[in-house]
Structures are given as structure tokens and as C-alpha cells.
Amino acid sequence: MARIGLLLLLTLCWIAPVSAHEIHSGGGFMSGFNHPVLGFDHLLAMLSVGMLSTQLGGRAIWTVPLAFVVFMLVGGILGLYAIAVPFVEIGIALSVLLLGLAIAFDRQIPLLFAMAFVGVFAIFHGHAHGAEMPALASPVLYALGFLFGTAVIHLGGVMIGLGMQRMTGQRNLMRVTGAAIAAMGGYLLAGF
């Protein structure tokens, strides 16, 4: 069973990246929802946040993803109002790399540091969502969509993390998965 999960994750990593940054049809809830769900870089980072939170355990399971969502909203507002955040795409790719490494190294870090760590990356992800909002979009519905999509992905990451820990009784599968995610982040960074 563990091998099937790892095979699925590796398959996901080698699929040609889907560019959520090209989604501009419509502008309501579903358009906002699709942006993080269909963007390969966003998807990997947000799954990683959920998985990292399960490694930390306790309150981190909900506070770390919540911190990401809150800071992503801040980044989305910055993007919506065209307030520049430098190196957004590099920050997004770097988030995949560093979140993957955090999972791979499996070290206990203080909760507030973990929340700040994901919060910094969330600003980049949110800025991309806000800046790329379709011109005819309803800002509130679009924002609700990308926040809900992100929360769903975080929940998926939490479920994957908990499932891996329960399935194997050890944390090695999670660490290998983190290394695969980090490798994908390195691949994304190499594109810049």
C-alpha cells in the first residue's frame, strides 16, 4: 500500500506542470478555486503545508495551514492592488523546494516559526492569485474560491500525512515524499 502511494506521488511529480497562471476564463468562485488546485507549483506547496503540519503534530495540524491561508489572503490583497512583491514566481518555486526539504529532514520546529515559515511563502502564492485575477472577476468570490481551494489542498495534505504515518507506522515514507517534492521544487527553480 505504501508503495502505491509513493508511486502515485512520483507520477504526479513527473506529469508536465499545469500552469494555473493561464486560467483567465470567468472570474467567480470556481475560477479562484481552480487557480491553486490546477497550478502544479501551488498544489505541491499546499500539500506540503498539510503534510508538514502532521509531522509537527498537535495544534500545528490546524494552525500551520491556517497561518498559510491568512497570509495568502494578505498576499492576494497586495496582488489585487498591484502592490509589488519581488520575485513572486521564484518565491513560489522556492516554497516547493524548502517545504519539501522541511518534510524530508523531519525536524521538530517551534510552532510560531513553522507558522511564520509557511506565512512568508503564502504571501508569494497569494500575490500570484490576486495579481492574476481576471479583469471581470468578482474580487470577493474569486478570493473565496482561492482560499477554499487552498484549504481543501491543505486538508488533502493533512490526510496524506496522517495516512502515511498510520499506514507504515514510521515516518520514512513521509521523508522520501518530502525529498521528491523538494526535487520538484529544484526542477521548478532551475527554470528561472
Short mmCIF file of all heavy atoms in Angstrom, two decimals, residues 98-139:
data_model
loop_
_atom_site.label_atom_id
_atom_site.label_comp_id
_atom_site.label_asym_id
_atom_site.label_seq_id
_atom_site.Cartn_x
_atom_site.Cartn_y
_atom_site.Cartn_z
N LEU A 98 11.75 24.29 -0.33
CA LEU A 98 12.02 24.36 1.11
C LEU A 98 10.97 23.62 1.95
O LEU A 98 11.32 23.02 2.97
CB LEU A 98 12.14 25.81 1.55
CG LEU A 98 13.35 26.55 0.96
CD1 LEU A 98 13.39 27.99 1.44
CD2 LEU A 98 14.65 25.83 1.30
N LEU A 99 9.72 23.64 1.52
CA LEU A 99 8.72 22.85 2.25
C LEU A 99 9.00 21.36 2.09
O LEU A 99 8.88 20.59 3.05
CB LEU A 99 7.31 23.20 1.77
CG LEU A 99 6.78 24.55 2.24
CD1 LEU A 99 5.57 24.98 1.41
CD2 LEU A 99 6.45 24.53 3.72
N GLY A 100 9.41 20.95 0.89
CA GLY A 100 9.79 19.55 0.69
C GLY A 100 10.98 19.16 1.56
O GLY A 100 10.98 18.09 2.17
N LEU A 101 11.96 20.04 1.64
CA LEU A 101 13.12 19.76 2.49
C LEU A 101 12.73 19.69 3.96
O LEU A 101 13.26 18.85 4.71
CB LEU A 101 14.21 20.82 2.28
CG LEU A 101 14.98 20.74 0.97
CD1 LEU A 101 15.93 21.92 0.83
CD2 LEU A 101 15.73 19.42 0.85
N ALA A 102 11.84 20.57 4.38
CA ALA A 102 11.38 20.54 5.78
C ALA A 102 10.74 19.19 6.11
O ALA A 102 10.97 18.63 7.19
CB ALA A 102 10.41 21.69 6.05
N ILE A 103 9.97 18.66 5.17
CA ILE A 103 9.35 17.34 5.38
C ILE A 103 10.43 16.26 5.36
O ILE A 103 10.43 15.36 6.20
CB ILE A 103 8.28 17.08 4.30
CG1 ILE A 103 7.11 18.05 4.46
CG2 ILE A 103 7.79 15.63 4.38
CD1 ILE A 103 6.16 18.08 3.28
N ALA A 104 11.36 16.35 4.42
CA ALA A 104 12.41 15.34 4.29
C ALA A 104 13.30 15.27 5.53
O ALA A 104 13.69 14.19 5.97
CB ALA A 104 13.26 15.61 3.04
N PHE A 105 13.64 16.44 6.09
CA PHE A 105 14.52 16.45 7.26
C PHE A 105 13.79 16.08 8.55
O PHE A 105 14.42 15.69 9.53
CB PHE A 105 15.23 17.80 7.40
CG PHE A 105 16.29 18.02 6.36
CD1 PHE A 105 16.33 19.19 5.65
CD2 PHE A 105 17.24 17.05 6.08
CE1 PHE A 105 17.30 19.40 4.68
CE2 PHE A 105 18.21 17.25 5.12
CZ PHE A 105 18.24 18.43 4.41
N ASP A 106 12.47 16.24 8.58
CA ASP A 106 11.63 15.78 9.70
C ASP A 106 12.17 16.23 11.06
O ASP A 106 12.39 15.43 11.96
CB ASP A 106 11.51 14.26 9.65
CG ASP A 106 10.45 13.73 10.62
OD1 ASP A 106 9.61 14.51 11.10
OD2 ASP A 106 10.47 12.51 10.89
N ARG A 107 12.37 17.52 11.21
CA ARG A 107 12.83 18.07 12.49
C ARG A 107 11.69 18.81 13.16
O ARG A 107 10.90 19.48 12.50
CB ARG A 107 13.99 19.05 12.28
CG ARG A 107 15.19 18.44 11.62
CD ARG A 107 15.99 17.62 12.62
NE ARG A 107 17.20 17.12 12.02
CZ ARG A 107 17.43 15.85 11.77
NH1 ARG A 107 16.53 14.95 12.06
NH2 ARG A 107 18.57 15.47 11.23
N GLN A 108 11.63 18.69 14.46
CA GLN A 108 10.63 19.45 15.21
C GLN A 108 11.07 20.90 15.27
O GLN A 108 12.21 21.19 15.66
CB GLN A 108 10.46 18.89 16.63
CG GLN A 108 9.67 17.61 16.67
CD GLN A 108 8.24 17.79 16.16
OE1 GLN A 108 7.55 18.73 16.51
NE2 GLN A 108 7.81 16.87 15.30
N ILE A 109 10.21 21.78 14.84
CA ILE A 109 10.49 23.21 14.89
C ILE A 109 9.40 23.87 15.70
O ILE A 109 8.28 23.37 15.77
CB ILE A 109 10.61 23.82 13.48
CG1 ILE A 109 9.36 23.56 12.65
CG2 ILE A 109 11.83 23.30 12.76
CD1 ILE A 109 9.38 24.19 11.28
N PRO A 110 9.71 24.98 16.36
CA PRO A 110 8.69 25.65 17.15
C PRO A 110 7.49 26.05 16.30
O PRO A 110 7.63 26.42 15.13
CB PRO A 110 9.42 26.90 17.68
CG PRO A 110 10.88 26.56 17.59
CD PRO A 110 11.02 25.64 16.42
N LEU A 111 6.32 25.97 16.89
CA LEU A 111 5.07 26.23 16.18
C LEU A 111 5.06 27.62 15.55
O LEU A 111 4.69 27.75 14.37
CB LEU A 111 3.89 26.07 17.14
CG LEU A 111 2.51 26.32 16.54
CD1 LEU A 111 2.22 25.37 15.39
CD2 LEU A 111 1.44 26.18 17.63
N LEU A 112 5.46 28.65 16.28
CA LEU A 112 5.44 30.00 15.73
C LEU A 112 6.40 30.14 14.55
O LEU A 112 6.09 30.83 13.58
CB LEU A 112 5.74 31.04 16.80
CG LEU A 112 4.64 31.25 17.83
CD1 LEU A 112 5.08 32.25 18.89
CD2 LEU A 112 3.34 31.70 17.18
N PHE A 113 7.54 29.47 14.63
CA PHE A 113 8.47 29.50 13.49
C PHE A 113 7.85 28.83 12.28
O PHE A 113 7.97 29.33 11.15
CB PHE A 113 9.80 28.84 13.85
CG PHE A 113 10.77 28.83 12.72
CD1 PHE A 113 11.52 29.97 12.42
CD2 PHE A 113 10.93 27.70 11.92
CE1 PHE A 113 12.41 29.97 11.35
CE2 PHE A 113 11.81 27.69 10.85
CZ PHE A 113 12.55 28.84 10.57
N ALA A 114 7.20 27.69 12.49
CA ALA A 114 6.55 26.98 11.38
C ALA A 114 5.46 27.85 10.75
O ALA A 114 5.34 27.90 9.52
CB ALA A 114 5.96 25.66 11.87
N MET A 115 4.70 28.54 11.57
CA MET A 115 3.65 29.41 11.06
C MET A 115 4.25 30.57 10.26
O MET A 115 3.74 30.92 9.18
CB MET A 115 2.77 29.92 12.20
CG MET A 115 1.96 28.81 12.85
SD MET A 115 1.17 29.30 14.40
CE MET A 115 -0.02 30.50 13.82
N ALA A 116 5.33 31.15 10.74
CA ALA A 116 5.98 32.24 10.01
C ALA A 116 6.61 31.72 8.72
O ALA A 116 6.54 32.38 7.68
CB ALA A 116 7.04 32.90 10.90
N PHE A 117 7.22 30.54 8.78
CA PHE A 117 7.86 29.91 7.63
C PHE A 117 6.86 29.74 6.49
O PHE A 117 7.11 30.17 5.35
CB PHE A 117 8.42 28.55 8.09
CG PHE A 117 9.10 27.72 7.03
CD1 PHE A 117 10.28 28.14 6.44
CD2 PHE A 117 8.57 26.50 6.66
CE1 PHE A 117 10.92 27.35 5.48
CE2 PHE A 117 9.21 25.70 5.71
CZ PHE A 117 10.38 26.14 5.13
N VAL A 118 5.70 29.15 6.78
CA VAL A 118 4.70 28.98 5.72
C VAL A 118 4.05 30.30 5.36
O VAL A 118 3.65 30.51 4.21
CB VAL A 118 3.64 27.91 6.08
CG1 VAL A 118 4.29 26.57 6.36
CG2 VAL A 118 2.73 28.33 7.20
N GLY A 119 3.96 31.22 6.31
CA GLY A 119 3.35 32.52 6.05
C GLY A 119 4.10 33.33 5.02
O GLY A 119 3.50 33.99 4.16
N VAL A 120 5.42 33.28 5.07
CA VAL A 120 6.23 34.01 4.09
C VAL A 120 5.93 33.49 2.69
O VAL A 120 5.69 34.26 1.75
CB VAL A 120 7.73 33.87 4.41
CG1 VAL A 120 8.59 34.35 3.25
CG2 VAL A 120 8.07 34.64 5.68
N PHE A 121 5.90 32.18 2.53
CA PHE A 121 5.62 31.60 1.22
C PHE A 121 4.19 31.87 0.78
O PHE A 121 3.91 32.05 -0.40
CB PHE A 121 5.90 30.10 1.22
CG PHE A 121 7.34 29.77 1.46
CD1 PHE A 121 7.71 28.86 2.42
CD2 PHE A 121 8.34 30.40 0.71
CE1 PHE A 121 9.04 28.56 2.63
CE2 PHE A 121 9.68 30.11 0.93
CZ PHE A 121 10.03 29.18 1.88
N ALA A 122 3.29 31.92 1.73
CA ALA A 122 1.88 32.17 1.41
C ALA A 122 1.69 33.54 0.78
O ALA A 122 0.82 33.71 -0.08
CB ALA A 122 1.03 32.05 2.68
N ILE A 123 2.49 34.50 1.17
CA ILE A 123 2.39 35.83 0.57
C ILE A 123 2.69 35.76 -0.93
O ILE A 123 1.98 36.36 -1.74
CB ILE A 123 3.30 36.84 1.30
CG1 ILE A 123 2.75 37.09 2.71
CG2 ILE A 123 3.43 38.14 0.51
CD1 ILE A 123 3.64 37.92 3.60
N PHE A 124 3.70 35.00 -1.32
CA PHE A 124 4.01 34.84 -2.74
C PHE A 124 2.85 34.16 -3.48
O PHE A 124 2.44 34.60 -4.56
CB PHE A 124 5.28 34.01 -2.94
CG PHE A 124 6.53 34.69 -2.47
CD1 PHE A 124 7.28 34.16 -1.43
CD2 PHE A 124 6.98 35.85 -3.08
CE1 PHE A 124 8.44 34.77 -1.00
CE2 PHE A 124 8.15 36.48 -2.66
CZ PHE A 124 8.88 35.94 -1.61
N HIS A 125 2.33 33.07 -2.90
CA HIS A 125 1.23 32.36 -3.54
C HIS A 125 0.00 33.27 -3.65
O HIS A 125 -0.66 33.31 -4.69
CB HIS A 125 0.89 31.09 -2.75
CG HIS A 125 1.90 30.01 -2.93
ND1 HIS A 125 1.81 29.06 -3.92
CD2 HIS A 125 3.03 29.72 -2.23
CE1 HIS A 125 2.84 28.24 -3.83
NE2 HIS A 125 3.59 28.62 -2.81
N GLY A 126 -0.32 33.97 -2.59
CA GLY A 126 -1.47 34.87 -2.60
C GLY A 126 -1.31 35.99 -3.60
O GLY A 126 -2.26 36.37 -4.30
N HIS A 127 -0.10 36.53 -3.68
CA HIS A 127 0.15 37.62 -4.63
C HIS A 127 -0.12 37.14 -6.05
O HIS A 127 -0.73 37.86 -6.85
CB HIS A 127 1.58 38.15 -4.49
CG HIS A 127 1.80 39.43 -5.21
ND1 HIS A 127 2.07 39.49 -6.56
CD2 HIS A 127 1.78 40.71 -4.76
CE1 HIS A 127 2.22 40.76 -6.92
NE2 HIS A 127 2.06 41.52 -5.85
N ALA A 128 0.33 35.93 -6.37
CA ALA A 128 0.08 35.38 -7.71
C ALA A 128 -1.42 35.27 -7.97
O ALA A 128 -1.90 35.61 -9.05
CB ALA A 128 0.75 34.02 -7.86
N HIS A 129 -2.17 34.82 -6.98
CA HIS A 129 -3.62 34.69 -7.15
C HIS A 129 -4.26 36.06 -7.35
O HIS A 129 -5.08 36.23 -8.25
CB HIS A 129 -4.26 34.03 -5.93
CG HIS A 129 -3.81 32.62 -5.68
ND1 HIS A 129 -3.66 31.69 -6.67
CD2 HIS A 129 -3.47 31.99 -4.53
CE1 HIS A 129 -3.27 30.54 -6.15
NE2 HIS A 129 -3.13 30.71 -4.86
N GLY A 130 -3.90 37.02 -6.53
CA GLY A 130 -4.51 38.35 -6.61
C GLY A 130 -4.12 39.10 -7.87
O GLY A 130 -4.95 39.74 -8.51
N ALA A 131 -2.85 39.02 -8.25
CA ALA A 131 -2.36 39.75 -9.42
C ALA A 131 -2.94 39.19 -10.72
O ALA A 131 -3.09 39.91 -11.68
CB ALA A 131 -0.84 39.71 -9.47
N GLU A 132 -3.25 37.91 -10.72
CA GLU A 132 -3.73 37.27 -11.94
C GLU A 132 -5.25 37.12 -11.96
O GLU A 132 -5.78 36.36 -12.76
CB GLU A 132 -3.03 35.93 -12.12
CG GLU A 132 -1.54 36.14 -12.32
CD GLU A 132 -0.74 34.88 -12.26
OE1 GLU A 132 -1.31 33.79 -12.09
OE2 GLU A 132 0.50 34.98 -12.38
N MET A 133 -5.90 37.85 -11.10
CA MET A 133 -7.36 37.81 -11.08
C MET A 133 -7.89 38.34 -12.41
O MET A 133 -7.45 39.39 -12.88
CB MET A 133 -7.91 38.67 -9.93
CG MET A 133 -9.41 38.58 -9.79
SD MET A 133 -10.04 39.62 -8.45
CE MET A 133 -9.19 38.96 -7.03
N PRO A 134 -8.79 37.60 -13.04
CA PRO A 134 -9.34 38.10 -14.30
C PRO A 134 -9.97 39.48 -14.14
O PRO A 134 -10.54 39.79 -13.09
CB PRO A 134 -10.40 37.04 -14.66
CG PRO A 134 -9.98 35.82 -13.91
CD PRO A 134 -9.33 36.32 -12.65
N ALA A 135 -9.88 40.28 -15.18
CA ALA A 135 -10.36 41.66 -15.12
C ALA A 135 -11.84 41.74 -14.77
O ALA A 135 -12.28 42.68 -14.09
CB ALA A 135 -10.09 42.36 -16.46
N LEU A 136 -12.63 40.79 -15.21
CA LEU A 136 -14.07 40.82 -14.95
C LEU A 136 -14.46 40.08 -13.68
O LEU A 136 -15.63 39.86 -13.43
CB LEU A 136 -14.83 40.24 -16.14
CG LEU A 136 -14.63 40.97 -17.47
CD1 LEU A 136 -15.35 40.23 -18.59
CD2 LEU A 136 -15.11 42.40 -17.37
N ALA A 137 -13.48 39.68 -12.90
CA ALA A 137 -13.75 38.86 -11.72
C ALA A 137 -14.46 39.64 -10.63
O ALA A 137 -14.29 40.84 -10.48
CB ALA A 137 -12.44 38.32 -11.15
N SER A 138 -15.24 38.91 -9.88
CA SER A 138 -15.79 39.42 -8.63
C SER A 138 -14.71 39.17 -7.57
O SER A 138 -14.45 38.01 -7.24
CB SER A 138 -17.07 38.68 -8.26
OG SER A 138 -17.37 38.88 -6.90
N PRO A 139 -14.05 40.22 -7.08
CA PRO A 139 -12.92 40.00 -6.15
C PRO A 139 -13.28 39.15 -4.94
O PRO A 139 -12.50 38.30 -4.54
CB PRO A 139 -12.53 41.42 -5.74
CG PRO A 139 -13.00 42.29 -6.84
CD PRO A 139 -14.25 41.64 -7.37
#
